[in-house]
Amino acid sequence: MSEDLDARLIAALQQDGRASYSELAARVGAPRTAVSARVQALLDSGAVGIAAVAHPQLLGLTSLAHVSVAVSGPADDVVDALCATDASVFVSAVSGAYDLVAELRVASDRELYGALAHLRAQPRVRAVNTLLYTDVVTSVFMPQGPLRSDVHVNDTDLRLIELLERDGRMSFVELARRVGMSPSAVRARVSRLVGNRALHVAAVVRRGTGSGRPALGAGLNLGGDDERVTAFLAASPGVEFVARTVGRFDLVLTLGSDSTTRLHHVTEQIKALDEVRGLTTWAHLEVFKEHYSRGIARTSA
């Protein structure tokens, strides 16, 4: 029973990591006291963290890619190289034709090429396959859609973002104390940042901590228009990430669940869609890095 409640709470927190216990209780249909206890237990265990993620465009990151890496022999040195670079926000050992996958976010295609060249130069790297994101359809790890052109942030906004990157559920009272403003003013600023899609606060499942929550990556090859497929994926429980890509797949996605049985059920539903011509999956065996926050460079006005 607690595992089912945990799954529902994580899904709710991935949508809004700052939702109050009362709001969470209403969403998952459980008593507030039970919700408070389970959320605190998840946070204390390290299995789940709540963090703010600024829109990649706000950080100047306009080139995003999914990279699959085949390694000859042990992958430790390659993992270390991927984790050490600021370009990577996600690094995982996987099953299947490749040994590792990573997500890279950089400022330009030229910078991406440089990061890939550095990766290819690692002695044990046998092959690198890159999927360029053309757009992110849905994600629990970042704000949705393009950054609005009229969004502007000042030093106070940046300080609030940095604080929420460290603790996404930090109270408005504590945030106000840190930035020297009233709680009501801070609440308004955070609401504006979230409402303008400059910031997203969400639960991140720490799958490298032995949480036992399986995750599956998948690549889809499609025939015809992708709108029905992307709409289905965006509305499906457990779908954490979907991006349109250029490369060997038309879409790449991440599925998370509390059981492999549920993951199998979702993949069967996806394969049943008329537009899906092929589905390739890989299991995430161990996550070495999952850090979507990145410092924002301050520029003088």
Side-chain angles (χ1 to χ4, degrees):
M1 183 66 177
S2 64
E3 289 184 0
D4 183 60
L5 177 58
D6 286 353
R8 286 180 285 142
L9 283 171
I10 289 170
L13 287 167
Q14 285 176 332
Q15 295 300 313
D16 181 4
R18 290 188 63 81
S20 69
Y21 291 132
S22 296
E23 290 169 332
L24 290 171
R27 292 180 192 181
V28 303
R32 185 187 182 283
T33 53
V35 165
S36 174
R38 289 312 306 160
V39 169
Q40 198 57 53
L42 287 168
L43 296 176
D44 290 344
S45 71
V48 174
I50 308 293
V53 179
H55 197 292
Q57 289 175 251
L58 190 66
L59 305 175
L61 307 177
T62 59
S63 186
L64 283 64
H66 178 281
V67 180
S68 301
V69 187
V71 178
S72 298
D76 294 358
D77 291 345
V78 182
V79 169
D80 290 343
L82 278 168
C83 290
T85 175
D86 288 339
S88 66
V89 296
F90 179 84
V91 180
S92 174
V94 295
S95 63
Y98 294 90
D99 302 286
L100 304 169
V101 298
E103 182 176 316
L104 306 183
R105 298 181 182 181
V106 293
S108 66
D109 290 344
R110 180 180 291 275
E111 188 176 338
L112 176 61
Y113 188 86
L116 294 172
H118 177 71
L119 177 59
R120 291 195 303 271
Q122 301 303 309
R124 292 188 182 276
V125 170
R126 180 164 49 86
V128 176
N129 193 291
T130 305
L131 295 166
L132 291 175
Y133 296 165
T134 61
D135 66 297
V136 175
V137 178
T138 185
S139 174
V140 300
F141 311 118
M142 59 187 280
Q144 299 298 285
L147 184 68
R148 284 174 38 178
S149 60
D150 61 345
V151 172
H152 303 286
V153 295
N154 59 25
D155 282 347
T156 300
D157 295 322
L158 297 180
R159 177 61 176 150
L160 287 170
I161 291 172
E162 289 168 349
L163 289 168
L164 289 168
E165 284 176 342
R166 298 176 201 154
D167 180 3
R169 288 185 71 83
M170 185 179 292
S171 71
F172 289 119
V173 171
E174 180 60 18
L175 289 169
R177 187 186 70 80
R178 300 282 189 98
V179 300
M181 298 181 68
S182 70
S184 60
V186 167
R187 181 188 294 271
R189 280 180 179 260
V190 172
S191 296
R192 176 177 56 81
L193 289 168
V194 172
N196 287 341
R197 298 199 297 263
L199 188 70
H200 180 55
V201 185
V204 177
V205 179
R206 309 297 189 192
R207 294 191 172 93
T209 63
S211 68
R213 295 183 59 81
L216 201 66
L220 295 185
N221 296 107
L222 306 177
D225 196 285
D226 69 5
E227 291 300 325
R228 195 168 85 91
V229 178
T230 54
F232 172 83
L233 292 172
S236 297
V239 177
E240 298 181 349
F241 179 84
V242 181
R244 293 185 176 93
T245 57
V246 174
R248 71 189 190 280
F249 300 126
D250 301 303
L251 297 175
V252 67
L253 55 140
T254 302
L255 307 172
S257 184
D258 57 350
S259 73
T260 54
T261 300
R262 291 190 184 183
L263 289 176
H264 178 249
H265 178 67
V266 175
T267 58
E268 288 297 293
Q269 288 182 315
I270 293 170
K271 287 191 290 185
L273 297 173
D274 291 340
E275 295 84 356
V276 174
R277 298 290 186 266
L279 171 69
T280 303
T281 61
W282 51 91
H284 289 284
L285 304 175
E286 183 175 0
V287 175
F288 300 102
K289 181 178 183 180
E290 190 166 17
H291 185 70
Y292 299 100
S293 303
R294 186 165 170 179
I296 302 173
R298 288 170 168 78
T299 58
S300 57

